[in-house]
Amino acid sequence: MHRWAGVLLALLMNGFLVGQMWVVRGAALSPGPAEAVVVREDEVHRRPVKAGERTVLEVSTTGLLEVVVYERTGDARELEEFRAGRVPRTAKVFSQVRELSYPLSSVTDTEFYVRVRHLRPGETRLRYVPGLVDEAMARLRKGENLVRNRGVVVVEGGRLTMPVYQLVPGTVVRVEVQSGRGVVGLLKTRDYLDVRDGRATVAGRCTPQACVEASSGRAVLEVAVGDYDDRYLVAEGQGLVFTYRVVATPEVLNHISSCT
Amino acid sequence: MDRLTRRQVLKVLGGATVAAATGGFTGQLLGWATAQEPSRPLLPRPGRRVVIVGAGISGAMCARTLRKLAPDVEVVVLERNPTYVSGPSHVDYVVGLEDARKVTVTFDALVRDGVRVIRSPATGLRLQDNRVLTPQGFVEYSVLVLATGLVPAEHEVRNLLENRRLSPHAWTWAGTVELRRAVEAFSGGTFVLTVPPPPYKCPPGPYEVACLVQEYWRAKGVRAEVVVLDSNDRPQPPLLADLWRRVLQERGITYKPSFKVVELDPTSRVLISDRGERQRFDLASVIPPQRAPLFIEEAGLGGPFVPIDPATWRSRAQENLYALGDVAASPYTKSAFTAFLQGRNAAYFIARALGRDRGEPDPVFNQCWPFVSSKEALFVEVAWDKEGRPIPARNRTGAPSAQHVKDRKQWEYGLLRAVYG
């Protein structure tokens, strides 16, 4: 009996049993608080989140990634799609990122699923930083700003378009170009559609308030969001590396409804 | 063709409404767009006057409460319509469950309470002079309360404005009447209803309409596929998401989340998403995003809603200006239930600002009983503290039940009696 207890303890210490449970369910073990793990291509990471929690997902790589974040919606087909390596329509997709920080939170108990795909090989690490929605709200109430989500994006050539999430009035989107040549813009839906459908060029829809041009190296764009229009990050260029941050200011408190 | 800006579109629409209200449609429509600012006062210079723009639930409730709390203060309400039709009944009216006469009220009770009701739209604000502009003249105020509700921003969906008739919706009374006609005349095919991104009026409303029209057509033997295209990644409000999912699935209603409609193709009768996905329809009900009337934005009070302090409803930009209900940028749900409490509570803070401290009202909460059929409704409750902070421990939901339908109607008729009776 004691011998088995020792084995059991040893297995638990190694995270073996917990890991095996997730393997049975077809998902990898979620790392604990602030503990980064190396993740493999197409491995599905499941992360339960309780009502009121705000867990920040952080992913970084030495290569280049597409990160897909999916929250369980109750539609079993969507989860099957995700597990099968496809992208359910409600998933959030972050393309061509080297780093990503994105909060997982909900008003009800829920589960998030994360999967990475390497667009360029490298070592990729993932960790979850625990926190509470109330803590984030308290910081805003104290007058502090709060980063809602953040990414380091690489555009090696051609055009990248990506929706920007968590925009409400009172958020500020800050784009810092670190290197490369090209243009990065934050376009509203209408302008984005015009560009996507070939009715206009990026330059044709760019204004100094919504776009930044980098000819060699550093450039900064800051857009204060005052409405509920969706916005899309559109970047064109060669060797562009930039960071975007969606920052909540205390003004956001006026616009975040509770639930109904 | 050049794209119409929101400003151009709303100016023409606003002008059309004003012109229609004042007669001589065409000439006035053209004239209004370039009209001079009115130079004559509609009322004599005030002592202490609170002007409330809008006599919907929040505006009317605020007016009547103020008369009780501060009887010596003159209260003037500007209202463009001769009557008010209860907002929550729009959804059940669409399928003939509600009689419009039962939920249409006049403003006589306000007049009886000593409120001066002027039937006129507001067309502009002169904040530096404390004036509200109307087509007939201006009204001066000591305190201004904006309770205008929201206007649908149809121009935000390409081709929707020009093809309104293809896609009536229940988020205005005129649209509700039109949708009912279309539902009655529908002989079968695909009905597509879209949900805008939040915040919009009555978050569960679109799913209620979907459930009710499907039940109505089934009872009539009309073969219809009902499709809900949702801009959001789950049904709203989030607390009811799982229950809605189940309800929609049980009823065979096709639900497509994260489908933000950005274009209507009137020729092929197709709705197009921002991702380029296409959904064909025989009858559509595209619920557009909603925002404050243009004259509020033009006055520099912000958009799409008016920023306020949620504890007092006072504008963050103007000391003597308050905004209530749907038009306010606040954490409160855009619903008739909170509109009632917001109107009441704001009156306490306005009275206090005018030197009549009558204590502090209870904080706002919200209850809602969304229909899943003519016989059953869900339930959801949320609450805020007096600073407008959500209290998650007060969150409650209820599965479909017949009792919720009774509770809903009892609440709604009671609300109308309390505000307009």
Side-chain angles (χ1 to χ4, degrees), chain B residues 27-66:
Chain B
Q28 295 241 2
L29 169 59
L30 295 172
W32 186 82
T34 54
Q36 294 296 306
E37 193 175 300
S39 57
R40 81 184 172 90
L42 275 186
L43 301 170
R45 187 168 278 274
R48 283 193 300 181
R49 176 187 291 157
V50 177
V51 174
I52 300 173
V53 183
I57 299 281
S58 66
M61 189 60 195
C62 183
R64 294 189 77 179
T65 310
L66 256 179

Side-chain angles (χ1 to χ4, degrees), chain A residues 162-168 186-192 225 227-233, chain B residues 156 196-198 231-232 259-262 274:
Chain A
M162 191 164 83
V164 180
Y165 301 109
Q166 299 188 299
L167 296 182
V168 292
L186 201 63
L187 301 186
K188 290 190 175 188
T189 305
R190 277 284 180 105
D191 292 330
Y192 159 70
V225 176
D227 56 37
Y228 286 91
D229 289 345
D230 285 341
R231 285 168 171 80
Y232 299 80
L233 207 52
Chain B
E156 289 188 14
S231 300
N232 308 289
F259 196 117
K260 183 186 172 192
V261 170
V262 293
D274 59 342

Side-chain angles (χ1 to χ4, degrees), chain A residues 168-174 186 209 221-227 231 249:
Chain A
V168 292
T171 46
V172 173
V173 182
R174 187 176 165 86
L186 201 63
Q209 292 77 34
L221 169 72
E222 205 163 272
V223 178
V225 176
D227 56 37
R231 285 168 171 80
T249 70

Side-chain angles (χ1 to χ4, degrees), chain A residues 71 89 190 196 232 259-260, chain B residues 155 234 237 257 274-275 303 333:
Chain A
E71 183 184 354
R89 56 180 311 110
R190 277 284 180 105
R196 189 195 67 185
Y232 299 80
C259 308
T260 58
Chain B
H155 60 282
R234 72 201 61 200
D274 59 342
R275 304 179 194 187
T333 307

Side-chain angles (χ1 to χ4, degrees), chain A residues 104-121:
Chain A
L104 313 177
S105 64
S106 172
V107 293
T108 53
D109 292 357
T110 188
E111 286 163 359
F112 286 88
Y113 295 83
V114 182
R115 189 181 64 221
V116 302
R117 190 162 63 88
H118 286 103
L119 305 174
R120 200 174 59 213

